[in-house]
């Protein structure tokens, strides 16, 4: 069974650009969550999607957005990149909030560097 | 709001020895879950162990076990017979249903860097 797949694994952007990160969940998983990991702030929750609906959102500016498609794949977008957006972006998938399992499986992450 | 605190930024242990990582949390929820995740240098976050708050029995997974003290809001991880492959960042996390009853959002601690020495 394939795990959570995140693409691209590494990317370098300059300030002011935008970036789109992709996440393919484990087959059968309908919930996808995104987290930002930085040395200073640690792991912070960005968003959570289930059945194409945003269930929850973290405390990030509107430059951070996301969506989920009918096949459960998810994308997140960051517009007008700032140096502070440099981070490892982790995606996690699960069966969903009503499965009772409450177990998230993480991908390897997308390492974004903003110059 | 939930908070998770890991007070040990770094720890080391000799191979085959036992080590305990500390975690305290705060939540106003009655129904919540607690987790320990491991993140080796390769970066893939792996679930080590999961505890449901309403279960009094401490969770165990092979060499990994927890000491869940609900009243003290403490959730420590014990690793027995430490192996070189246990070297990693360990994150304690909590999760509870949001007001809409449909979120699995995790709140993480800052992590403990564990080094297992040969």
């Amino acid at each position: 069974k394939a795990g959570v797949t995140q693409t691209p694994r590494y990317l370098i952007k300059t300030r002011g650009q935008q970036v789109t990160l992709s996440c393919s969940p484990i087959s059968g998983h309908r919930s996808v969550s995104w987290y930002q990991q930085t040395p200073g702030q640690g792991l912070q929750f960005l968003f959570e999607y289930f059945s194409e609906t945003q269930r929850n959102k973290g405390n990030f500016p509107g430059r951070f957005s996301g969506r989920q498609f009918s096949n459960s794949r998810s994308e997140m977008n960051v517009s007008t990149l700032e140096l502070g957006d440099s981070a490892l972006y982790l995606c996690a998938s699960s069966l969903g909030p009503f499965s009772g399992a409450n177990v998230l499986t993480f991908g390897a992450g997308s390492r974004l560097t903003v110059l | 709001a939930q908070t998770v605190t890991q007070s040990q930024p770094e720890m080391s242990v000799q191979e085959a020895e036992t080590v305990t990582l500390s975690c305290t949390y705060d939540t106003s929820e009655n129904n919540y879950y607690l987790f320990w995740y491991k993140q080796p240098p390769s970066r893939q976050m792996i679930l080590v162990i999961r505890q449901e708050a309403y279960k009094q029995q401490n969770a165990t997974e092979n060499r990994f076990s927890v000491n869940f003290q609900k009243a003290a809001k403490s959730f420590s991880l014990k690793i027995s017979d430490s192996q070189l492959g246990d070297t990693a960042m360990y994150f304690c996390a909590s999760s509870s249903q949001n007001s809409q009853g449909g979120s699995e959002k995790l709140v993480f601690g800052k992590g403990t860097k564990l080094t297992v020495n040969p």
Side-chain angles (χ1 to χ4, degrees):
Chain A
K1 198 174 189 181
V4 178
T5 304
Q6 292 189 243
T7 56
R9 291 290 305 278
Y10 304 90
L11 65 167
I12 300 173
K13 294 285 187 179
T14 57
R15 280 181 298 175
Q17 287 187 311
Q18 72 159 8
V19 65
T20 299
L21 308 178
S22 179
C23 174
S24 294
I26 289 173
S27 178
H29 283 193
R30 296 171 60 196
S31 179
V32 172
S33 303
W34 290 89
Y35 291 81
Q36 181 195 64
Q37 186 176 20
T38 60
Q41 298 299 316
L43 284 148
Q44 293 186 286
F45 171 76
L46 281 157
F47 348 85
E48 178 182 15
Y49 291 90
F50 177 71
S51 293
E52 302 178 68
T53 301
Q54 188 176 86
R55 302 289 301 187
N56 204 347
K57 186 178 189 300
N59 188 26
F60 279 82
R63 302 185 296 106
F64 291 80
S65 63
R67 58 179 176 169
Q68 186 180 34
F69 303 95
S70 58
N71 61 358
S72 295
R73 191 177 70 85
S74 177
E75 288 181 349
M76 67 163 283
N77 184 277
V78 187
S79 62
T80 319
L81 284 166
E82 300 177 359
L83 295 178
D85 297 333
S86 294
L88 180 65
Y89 290 88
L90 293 170
C91 169
S93 75
S94 73
L95 289 170
F98 305 108
S99 69
N102 213 82
V103 173
L104 274 62
T105 302
F106 283 83
S110 293
R111 168 74 67 185
L112 170 66
T113 301
V114 182
L115 301 177
Chain B
Q2 297 177 77
T3 59
V4 177
T5 303
Q6 294 178 250
S7 58
Q8 305 152 314
E10 291 191 44
M11 293 191 72
S12 63
V13 64
Q14 292 299 121
E15 198 174 5
E17 297 293 310
T18 296
V19 64
T20 299
L21 308 184
S22 301
C23 172
T24 58
Y25 64 93
D26 194 15
T27 180
S28 57
E29 303 287 340
N30 291 321
N31 181 24
Y32 58 92
Y33 300 86
L34 297 166
F35 308 85
W36 279 98
Y37 278 90
K38 166 186 177 181
Q39 189 178 39
S42 64
R43 305 180 326 196
Q44 188 105 23
M45 192 87 74
I46 303 164
L47 176 65
V48 174
I49 203 163
R50 167 182 174 270
Q51 175 81 41
E52 297 172 64
Y54 65 87
K55 289 187 176 179
Q56 292 188 344
Q57 186 173 5
N58 290 325
T60 62
E61 285 289 340
N62 301 314
R63 298 182 295 106
F64 299 88
S65 62
V66 297
N67 182 5
F68 175 44
Q69 300 290 324
K70 192 171 184 178
K73 295 185 177 179
S74 170
F75 183 63
S76 61
L77 174 70
K78 185 172 83 171
I79 306 174
S80 304
D81 186 25
S82 296
Q83 300 175 359
L84 297 178
D86 296 333
T87 293
M89 281 291 290
Y90 286 81
F91 292 96
C92 179
S94 70
S95 172
S96 65
Q97 298 286 315
N98 69 2
S99 59
Q100 298 161 313
S103 176
E104 296 175 307
K105 169 189 171 182
L106 290 174
V107 175
F108 286 91
K110 293 292 188 185
T112 296
K113 183 179 180 182
L114 176 67
T115 302
V116 180
N117 299 307

